[in-house]
Amino acid sequence: MAVATPAHAQQAEERGEDGDAVAAPQEEEDEVETATDAPLAARSFTPADFTQFAPQNALDMVSRIPGFNIQGGNDGSRGLGQASQNVLINGQRMSGKSNDAASALSRIPADSVTRIDIVDGATLAIPGLSGQVANIIANLGGWSGNFEYRPEFRRNDLNTLTAGQISMSGSLGSSDVSVSLQNYAFRNGHVGPETTRTAGGALVRTVDEDARYVSDRPQLSGSLSRTADNGNVLNVNASTQINHFDRRTEGVETLADGSITDELATGSEREWNFELGGDYEFALAGGRLKLIGLRRYEHSPFKNEFTRLSRDPGAVMTGSRFDQVLDEAETIARGEYGFTALGGDMQVSLEGAYNVLESEAELFVRDEFGDEQQIALPGANARVSERRAESIVTYGRSLSDDLSVQFGLGGEYSRISAGDLTRSFWRPKGSISLAWTANERLTVNAKAERRVDQLNFFDFLASVDVVDDNDRSNNFNLVPPQRWRGELQFVQSLGAWGSISPQIRIAQIDDIVDSIPVSPTEEARGNLDSAFVLQGILEGTLLLDPIGFDGARMSINMNVSDTSVTDPLTGEKRPISGIGRFNANVGLRHDIPDSSWAWGLGVDVNEQGLSYRLDQTARGFQTKPFAWLYVEHKDVMGLTARASLLNLLDSRDGFERTVYVGRRDGPVAFREEWERSFGPILRFTISGNI
């Protein structure tokens, strides 16, 4: 029995229904020029530009800007570092890590937005930004709010009735305050047979499987922002979340000889976490100093069990159970001092961080009597920590009326302790960004950088897959990957036709993390010498009014990747393990003129690459494109109501795995595959102002 989490198709977010994708990174705008009298940018949008969409919040507005996609985010990144999200609020980058752009924008009511400017990141005095950046200029006055409720219905009573959010924002004295409660919930499932065949194609077994996945992730978030009369700025963000996830897969195995065995795989997570962060900015010695702090903690107990019981008389239950408790913490202190020098803007930053992961794990295997016996599991109970210091000097200026440059240079020192091993490293970091306005319709953005990636501390530890027997050993010798990365983006305005943005990204990655052999029979996560990534991206919005289709727009988001790494087992070149090869999300939305009605349709195509272990390869896939259709009314007693029908083409979740005798350079032992049907999905979305 192969158990997988819900496939990509089932997790299509609300964004998919419009084709207005929310994706990855870029840059921002000048220091305290955040008031409503800030100068107009090359592309500026007022609330009147979004009237036809009846937006409830700033996120609804930004999502409708032609050719612009929200990108980037700090969650899971290495420390706080420089800005990575291409969204500013009143000229300020968002502090914290869980305070992503989409969540922050959803807490700003649409009637509080004065204007949205789209600017080039390299023209701003905010280090780290490049490409298109949205600066949302908003004034929070009296208290107001918005809500969204997203019930979803599918077969087998897998109905989601708890997904939604509610937020409030307003002023308390001279402070702007927002608070939100949201639940990221889903009830997914799929059914279908799994088959296992020999290398020659002979049927070994069939397993009829029924899998269900239940998740609720309620999160309470709040933020406070205050600008004093002397220009000092205070921002505070806090959030806490509970993550309850349950997985259950029931299977009936029938062997080629007709014998029958019942299988059951279960898994659960009971996580809770919190984050508290903030920053304080003030004038100092002709410049401005920003002090930033963050504390994040996560407690995650996991349980995974797999059992088998033959229907033969006197059979004994077999199987195993793997329990693990992870405690993760991160503490960051950062200072940024910005000032004017050499005809431009300079910033000196210093950051210190302490990350720690503690793991307690137990493995139980049923003996010949069916009783659980604990098995020693070296390398699964351990503590991994990293102390890190980073400093970067950044300088940016305009070289001419149509050309701006920003570059930074620095490095980091880190000290990693895993088990009884401690090592220290020094690594250079830096970047250079250019923004060139070629003409009134074409902007070219370029960026080259040397950066250090964040390690997944879980990769240091031994782990057990009780279902597919994909165990791995521990490896305390892991080091963070480093990469040279280049990006070239063209933003082409099409006038009345909208906007389109092709991009090329290229990266050379040193010390990439992959599965490596650590003994003749064991593997672990380890570092390979280098890898190469080439990525092409096409984003855009085509307005169809010029052909007489008034109020209609087509959104396009396409991504194709070509990667290469030397396989540690065969010595041959192959793609990076588990990398997506192609994704295309295309959507059409039509807001019918002079009415409150809108409708839309779209399709998502996804191709995932193989994941490589030393004894097998595997991949998940969609059997067909994932398509949807929706109808929306923007004034149902003052609310916006949408009915969506998803999976119109009856796409199924697929999985295939090839297992070898010994290692992957040997003969094939068997192949298994399954396709599980999850049927159509009916979703309702009701949103409005409070």
Side-chain angles (χ1 to χ4, degrees):
M1 176 189 290
V3 177
T5 54
H8 170 82
Q10 292 196 70
Q11 294 178 329
E13 297 293 337
E14 201 73 39
R15 74 176 184 92
E17 295 180 21
D18 289 332
D20 295 322
V22 176
Q26 273 150 323
E27 308 195 34
E28 275 157 79
E29 165 147 283
D30 211 58
E31 199 170 72
V32 192
E33 206 166 42
T34 61
T36 57
D37 58 352
L40 289 173
R43 295 174 64 199
S44 291
F45 300 85
T46 66
D49 295 313
F50 305 100
T51 302
Q52 63 174 319
F53 307 114
Q56 307 294 336
N57 50 50
L59 178 61
D60 293 340
M61 302 168 80
V62 172
S63 299
R64 303 300 181 208
I65 295 176
F68 181 81
N69 290 316
I70 297 175
Q71 300 182 343
N74 287 321
D75 193 22
S77 63
R78 193 164 176 79
L80 290 173
Q82 297 179 332
S84 62
Q85 300 187 86
N86 65 338
V87 172
L88 300 174
I89 298 177
N90 287 332
Q92 298 285 318
R93 61 177 286 201
M94 281 157 282
S95 61
K97 301 190 75 171
S98 63
N99 187 34
D100 63 282
S103 297
L105 294 179
S106 68
R107 298 197 294 264
I108 301 176
D111 58 9
S112 297
V113 176
T114 302
R115 197 174 77 239
I116 300 175
D117 294 337
I118 304 297
V119 295
D120 297 315
T123 65
L124 305 175
I126 300 179
L129 293 177
S130 63
Q132 293 188 93
V133 175
N135 182 26
I136 291 79
I137 299 172
N139 284 323
L140 298 179
W143 282 86
S144 61
N146 59 84
F147 75 93
E148 183 176 88
Y149 178 51
R150 300 183 301 275
E152 188 175 278
F153 304 90
R154 56 174 72 196
R155 68 182 187 191
N156 298 333
D157 298 322
L158 288 169
N159 302 324
T160 304
L161 303 178
T162 57
Q165 68 178 47
I166 182 170
S167 63
M168 296 290 295
S169 62
S171 297
L172 285 177
S174 57
S175 299
D176 292 333
V177 178
S178 67
V179 62
S180 67
L181 175 63
Q182 50 192 327
N183 186 25
Y184 306 93
F186 64 77
R187 306 288 187 270
N188 290 345
H190 43 201
V191 297
E194 173 192 302
T195 60
T196 302
R197 299 180 182 274
T198 65
L203 181 65
V204 176
R205 67 170 194 157
T206 300
V207 185
D208 291 316
E209 296 180 324
D210 186 342
R212 298 193 177 196
Y213 312 91
V214 176
S215 177
D216 283 285
R217 292 186 294 153
Q219 177 174 311
L220 178 64
S221 304
S223 64
L224 179 147
S225 178
R226 177 173 182 170
T227 301
D229 293 340
N230 61 2
N232 294 1
V233 180
L234 171 67
N235 294 291
V236 178
N237 297 281
S239 68
T240 184
Q241 183 182 57
I242 298 173
N243 180 7
H244 281 191
F245 173 78
D246 290 284
R247 166 180 56 82
R248 182 181 180 88
T249 303
E250 299 178 2
V252 178
E253 176 194 71
T254 303
L255 297 181
D257 62 8
S259 59
I260 298 175
T261 298
D262 294 312
E263 299 182 344
L264 177 63
T266 60
S268 67
E269 179 182 6
R270 293 294 182 265
E271 173 193 322
W272 62 267
N273 63 68
F274 75 85
E275 179 180 309
L276 177 63
D279 59 73
Y280 186 66
E281 180 181 334
F282 55 93
L284 177 68
R288 295 188 67 84
L289 177 63
K290 177 181 285 189
L291 302 176
I292 308 171
L294 179 137
R295 172 66 175 176
R296 184 180 64 86
Y297 180 80
E298 179 179 308
H299 176 73
S300 304
F302 296 88
K303 292 182 178 294
N304 291 280
E305 184 174 11
F306 179 53
T307 58
R308 291 168 47 87
L309 180 61
S310 172
R311 294 185 182 179
D312 294 338
V316 174
M317 181 175 290
T318 62
S320 55
R321 174 167 58 92
F322 178 61
D323 298 340
Q324 187 173 40
V325 178
L326 298 176
D327 288 285
E328 301 176 75
E330 182 174 27
T331 305
I332 303 174
R334 180 178 175 87
E336 300 175 346
Y337 183 63
F339 56 97
T340 300
L342 303 176
D345 297 295
M346 295 194 69
Q347 184 191 90
V348 179
S349 65
L350 178 63
E351 178 172 305
Y354 177 60
N355 293 62
V356 63
L357 168 67
E358 293 184 340
S359 171
E360 296 181 1
E362 296 177 320
L363 175 63
F364 299 89
V365 177
R366 294 182 183 271
D367 60 20
E368 66 271 22
F369 304 106
D371 298 324
E372 287 189 336
Q373 302 294 333
Q374 187 168 358
I375 303 298
L377 195 58
N381 293 273
R383 175 186 174 93
V384 182
S385 64
E386 180 181 27
R387 301 177 188 272
R388 182 177 57 83
E390 170 196 281
S391 182
I392 296 179
V393 178
T394 307
Y395 173 74
R397 62 167 297 174
S398 296
L399 301 179
S400 66
D401 291 341
D402 53 17
L403 180 63
S404 298
V405 64
Q406 181 188 102
F407 63 85
L409 184 63
E412 73 164 42
Y413 170 83
S414 64
R415 183 178 177 88
I416 299 177
S417 297
D420 56 0
L421 181 65
T422 298
R423 294 154 300 144
S424 299
F425 307 93
W426 162 259
R427 294 182 175 87
K429 303 172 76 170
S431 65
I432 181 170
S433 301
L434 293 169
W436 175 43
T437 304
N439 55 55
E440 61 181 11
R441 289 197 172 188
L442 174 63
T443 298
V444 181
N445 298 293
K447 184 175 184 178
E449 64 177 335
R450 175 68 169 178
R451 77 182 192 197
V452 181
D453 295 339
Q454 176 63 36
L455 275 171
N456 182 351
F457 284 4
F458 184 71
D459 287 340
F460 285 86
L461 308 175
S463 181
V464 176
D465 182 338
V466 296
V467 179
D468 288 334
D469 198 26
N470 290 335
D471 306 344
R472 73 164 190 250
S473 300
N474 67 292
N475 179 13
F476 293 154
N477 290 294
L478 278 171
V479 300
Q482 308 167 76
R483 68 180 65 199
W484 287 102
R485 181 178 179 274
E487 177 180 316
L488 183 62
Q489 177 192 49
F490 301 89
V491 182
Q492 176 68 60
S493 171
L494 304 177
W497 289 89
S499 176
I500 194 166
S501 175
Q503 303 176 46
I504 297 175
R505 297 176 182 174
I506 188 171
Q508 174 73 32
I509 309 173
D510 300 323
D511 296 324
I512 188 171
V513 177
D514 206 325
S515 291
I516 65 169
V518 292
S519 80
T521 59
E522 295 176 302
E523 67 178 278
R525 301 290 283 172
N527 297 105
L528 303 183
D529 286 341
S530 64
F532 178 79
V533 179
L534 178 62
Q535 187 177 33
I537 300 170
L538 179 63
E539 300 172 342
T541 304
L542 300 179
L543 307 180
L544 304 182
D545 300 74
I547 61 173
F549 199 178
D550 293 348
R553 57 170 51 199
M554 179 176 291
S555 298
I556 303 169
N557 191 303
M558 302 178 67
N559 187 319
V560 60
S561 298
D562 183 29
T563 66
S564 176
V565 68
T566 300
D567 192 285
L569 183 64
T570 66
E572 299 176 350
K573 294 290 186 181
R574 63 161 171 83
I576 295 175
S577 179
I579 289 291
R581 299 176 59 184
F582 176 77
N583 177 257
N585 185 295
V586 180
L588 172 70
R589 177 183 173 96
H590 182 210
D591 290 270
I592 301 174
D594 303 319
S595 80
S596 296
W597 289 95
W599 63 275
L601 52 85
V603 64
D604 185 277
V605 180
N606 185 66
E607 181 181 350
Q608 192 72 18
L610 285 174
S611 293
Y612 294 84
R613 301 290 295 261
L614 295 186
D615 64 345
Q616 62 187 272
T617 62
R619 79 177 180 101
F621 60 91
Q622 297 172 252
T623 61
K624 296 179 181 178
F626 186 79
W628 61 87
L629 171 70
Y630 68 86
V631 177
E632 178 180 291
H633 195 284
K634 291 169 281 191
D635 189 9
V636 180
M637 294 183 292
L639 305 177
T640 297
R642 174 189 291 190
S644 307
L645 184 61
L646 297 87
N647 196 24
L648 299 177
L649 303 179
D650 193 27
S651 179
R652 300 185 177 199
D653 294 333
F655 179 80
E656 58 186 14
R657 183 167 73 122
T658 301
V659 179
Y660 296 79
V661 177
R663 296 220 151 150
R664 199 167 11 92
D665 53 358
V668 172
F670 63 87
R671 293 185 175 92
E672 67 180 22
E673 62 180 14
W674 52 254
E675 291 183 5
R676 295 179 183 165
S677 172
F678 56 92
I681 303 169
L682 179 61
R683 176 187 294 161
F684 295 99
T685 306
I686 303 169
S687 60
N689 294 321
I690 301 174

